[in-house]
Amino acid sequence: MLKNKSIAVYFMVFIFIPTSLILLALLAFDSLISSRFMFKANKAEIQSATLSKINTIETKIQPAKTLAIALAEVMNGFTSYDEDYLDFLLEKFVSSNVDVVGMSITFKPFEYNRNTGFKSLYCYQEATDNGHVYIKDRIGPQYMFMDWYQIPIESQTPHWSEPYIETRSQTLIVTYSQLFYKKTKNGRQIAGVVTADLSLDWLANIMKDIKITKSSYAVLLSPEGVFLTHPEPDMAMNESLFSQAELRGDPQLRSIAKKMTAGETGLETIKRDAYFQKAQMSYAPIALNNWSIGILTPQNEVFGDVVYMFVIAVVLTIVGVVLLFVTVFAVSHSLTKPITVLAGITKEIAKGNLDLKLPRLSSTREITLLTQSFQQMTTNLKAHIEQLTKTTAENERIESELYIARNIQQDMLPSVFPPYPDNPYFDIFAAIKPAKEVGGDLYDFYLIDENHLYFVIGDVSGKGVPASLFMAVTKTLLKAKSGPDISPEKIFQMVNDELAANNDNSMFVTLFLGVLNLETGVITYSNAGHNLPVIITKKGTVKFIEPLDGLVLGIMPGVSYKRAMLKLNPGDRLFLYTDGVPEAQSPNQNFFGNNKMISAIEKNINLPSKELTMAMLNDVDDFSKGEQADDITIMIIDFMKLKK
Amino acid sequence: MEIAVDNKNDLTVLKLTGRMDAVTSSNFDKQVTELIGKHQVKLVVNMQNLEYISSAGLRSILAATKKLRAEQGDMVFCNLQGHVAEVFQISGLTALFKISDSEDKAVNEFN
């Protein structure tokens, strides 16, 4: 899928996208963790604030209970009562705590003494310019109908009253009632209640202090759910959470009110509040006197931090992603740009424009190396091509010259066959097959006079141009030195002296030279290291002539040669050849050899000379499988009839 | 073609194995040039294992002999056989070169 797309795409797919995904995943994960953490922290904070407030309140309230219980214990020890002493006690107790603004000892009917139906001693604190004073007082029989008397007496358990406004002082107080007993014959019986009045004027301030978030606030509920404190002063002591729930038609508020008055602890999200849309409400009971405290924190303020953090994270992530995108893009572009440039220029070079200089691209090390290598390659290529062009031109020139040389050489050797068609006494056929364009084999023949045929066959050492030059010189010298009445060995002597004179290269030539007397059929010949010719008789025998040795021509001057004679009968043929025939090699390096040559002649003996020659050449070619190592020459002289 | 070089006293014996043609004769040329450079100009060439020699090979031998004789040295051939012996015979080089039957006799030629 990515084949042939830009590196930029590659980068995008494999670097940018995964990285962005990772960033987003991190963002999501981070938000999740932080929000969880924040909620937990907030919750903990709310709960801790709640508990701390509860603690404070309890600490403030506790003294009322403690004092009442202590005084009740004292009362439990009396069997009879002394009014003055009781007043004294009351004053002592009330003065011991500034928040306990009054205490009473209230007797059940006739418990004070048999004669007294109603007795309630009271002591209260009053603030003056000089500090507090303590005032003795009595409560009238109406106490019988008061909650602080009736409820504990009837339930026989201690009782915290509902907060109420004390008529005399017009302050909000709450009263704790503790039963006291009198010993009887059977045990004990309830004698009355000791009460302690606790001022609650500190309450509102304490409750105002609660500030978890900017706009959070706290409420205090009485055991009945009445707002003891509320940010709206009008609500305090007038409304209850239940009435609010009714007003708003919010069942959740109602259930919370129930839970709170039941003494439960919890943290809930409530929907609508007078002040804000959603809020967290944390509530807990004040165990001491069954009040409960509720702290409201607006959702958006709790969440505010989290949202704030999330927004920042998102913004940073987006910025990061954008930066990443830009960076990846820029990087990939900076990488591809030099490559593209390089590719473009290389294309031009490939078209053949080798003179183009590659630009100096400052880029990564790899690309710089690439550019340098390309430049190097181009320079080398150019040099090679120049060299090749020169060489090719040279080769073409040489080839054409060789071709010309071949033609010249061919023109040197008699090539018209039959050479003397009107001559009834003899015929000659010769064929030469050079190994290269030009060769070192030679043959020649001509009628010296009307009765004598001069013929020669030879082989220069080597092949190709050097041999062909030597061959040309040799052939020319031979013809020049030959003539009527000059014997073959004399010709060799003269030609050898000439050849050896200017021969530094140690080249030499093998030759067989003969003169055929047409009147007798006798051939006078000399041999200079050449392969022995073969006589093919009219009868059909094939055999080598008698050996005659002599040094090859051209090595050193002053060499003498021998002469011999052989007789041809009419119908006989003389088969001459160069060593290209017997020394032809097969691909597995076997030699054709003299025996095979003789056999081949015998095989084709009935063929006329031309056909015989061609057949021989074919045999050799087949044998060497076309790989010709040396020049091959065959010349056949047909002696047909004696000249009379 | 392989050329085994052996030193006997102040002579060098070259034993040729294989074929001496246009390609391999250049090795022979190099070898001789090297020996001449070391002033080893008395060479015995043992052709016991030489199966074939072409005209190029003969040229190499001729050239080598010329060079050695110019340095007051010489080349003696021994153990010619088969095709090589024939070629030497036919080309008349047996008259030109010093040829012995055995390596020992060839060595003696120098004394």
Side-chain angles (χ1 to χ4, degrees), chain B residues 8-65:
Chain B
K8 270 188 182 170
N9 311 325
D10 58 341
L11 301 176
T12 314
V13 177
L14 299 176
K15 200 153 183 195
L16 306 180
T17 308
R19 299 159 163 239
M20 196 165 176
D21 55 26
V23 173
T24 58
S25 58
S26 64
N27 292 346
F28 184 81
D29 296 335
K30 275 191 211 140
Q31 187 66 260
V32 170
T33 310
E34 207 182 292
L35 290 167
I36 292 176
K38 292 193 245 177
H39 297 298
Q40 289 169 279
V41 294
K42 296 185 183 163
L43 298 184
V44 170
V45 182
N46 188 326
M47 295 182 155
Q48 178 70 53
N49 298 329
L50 194 64
E51 351 174 308
Y52 168 81
I53 187 163
S54 73
S55 56
L58 289 175
R59 261 190 67 205
S60 269
I61 288 176
L62 278 167
T65 311

Side-chain angles (χ1 to χ4, degrees), chain A residues 452-466:
Chain A
H452 292 92
L453 173 69
Y454 156 101
F455 63 89
V456 67
I457 190 168
D459 179 4
V460 176
S461 60
K463 51 188 186 274
V465 172

Side-chain angles (χ1 to χ4, degrees), chain A residues 15 18 45 76 221 258 267 272 372 395 422 436 442 458 465 479 489 491 524 555 567 578 598 617 642:
Chain A
I15 295 178
E45 203 186 339
N76 290 342
L221 296 186
K258 265 202 180 142
L267 178 65
R272 263 175 9 112
Q372 284 173 354
N395 280 351
D422 302 326
K436 296 195 178 175
L442 68 94
V465 172
K479 190 149 189 187
E489 77 278 9
I491 299 172
T524 312
I555 295 182
K567 182 156 188 277
T578 59
I598 301 292
L617 288 175
L642 286 164

Side-chain angles (χ1 to χ4, degrees), chain A residues 170-426:
Chain A
Q170 287 296 303
T171 53
L172 186 68
I173 63 170
V174 72
T175 302
Y176 180 76
S177 310
Q178 178 78 12
L179 296 160
F180 69 88
Y181 300 88
K182 195 195 245 142
K183 284 213 231 341
T184 62
K185 280 193 287 290
N186 306 331
R188 64 175 192 178
Q189 69 188 46
I190 297 175
V193 291
V194 167
T195 67
D197 297 334
L198 185 74
S199 159
L200 295 179
D201 57 5
W202 45 265
L203 201 56
N205 285 335
I206 283 188
M207 295 307 288
K208 258 196 263 177
D209 269 351
I210 295 178
K211 278 270 174 275
I212 294 169
T213 66
K214 205 171 48 163
S215 341
S216 74
Y217 67 86
V219 293
L220 196 60
L221 296 186
S222 75
E224 301 295 310
V226 173
F227 289 119
L228 296 177
T229 66
H230 197 278
E232 279 172 59
D234 294 340
M235 300 276 279
M237 300 311 297
N238 289 330
E239 300 287 335
S240 74
L241 191 57
F242 289 103
S243 63
Q244 279 295 299
E246 282 301 320
L247 194 69
R248 302 235 206 104
D250 190 345
Q252 190 195 15
L253 261 179
R254 189 134 153 272
S255 95
I256 289 177
K258 265 202 180 142
K259 286 190 209 157
M260 285 177 78
T261 51
E264 284 179 35
T265 308
L267 178 65
E268 287 180 41
T269 310
I270 61 172
K271 268 177 231 106
R272 263 175 9 112
D273 179 77
Y275 301 109
F276 20 76
Q277 289 296 320
K278 258 201 194 178
Q280 297 273 352
M281 179 146 179
S282 163
Y283 52 85
I286 298 179
L288 195 59
N289 58 355
N290 295 330
W291 287 353
S292 53
I293 192 169
I295 302 184
L296 278 91
T297 15
Q299 191 88 305
N300 62 347
E301 280 182 12
V302 172
F303 282 167
D305 290 345
V306 177
V307 168
Y308 182 65
M309 268 184 59
F310 184 73
V311 166
I312 295 219
V314 166
V315 167
L316 283 177
T317 304
I318 290 178
V319 169
V321 166
V322 167
L323 275 176
L324 186 67
F325 184 85
V326 169
T327 310
V328 169
F329 197 77
V331 165
S332 78
H333 185 66
S334 81
L335 272 180
T336 52
K337 180 153 172 278
I339 294 177
T340 313
V341 170
L342 208 60
I345 293 188
T346 309
K347 207 171 168 188
E348 280 302 305
I349 291 176
K351 283 192 198 159
N353 193 350
L354 287 172
D355 287 314
L356 223 50
K357 272 267 175 300
L358 286 163
R360 304 205 127 255
L361 296 167
S362 65
S363 175
T364 58
R365 182 160 57 98
E366 287 81 2
I367 295 195
T368 309
L369 275 173
L370 189 65
T371 312
Q372 284 173 354
S373 303
F374 256 87
Q375 184 65 65
Q376 191 66 41
M377 193 180 72
T378 312
T379 311
N380 289 350
L381 206 62
K382 197 162 162 223
H384 276 292
I385 290 180
E386 274 173 20
Q387 184 68 34
L388 206 63
T389 313
K390 249 200 254 172
T391 312
T392 309
E394 189 72 25
N395 280 351
E396 280 175 2
R397 192 176 61 76
I398 289 175
E399 250 187 60
S400 66
E401 288 189 0
L402 275 176
Y403 188 72
I404 294 171
R406 181 196 178 95
N407 287 338
I408 293 175
Q409 205 178 42
Q410 278 179 344
D411 291 344
M412 282 180 74
L413 304 173
S415 52
V416 176
F417 297 102
Y420 305 98
D422 302 326
N423 194 312
Y425 309 110
F426 72 91

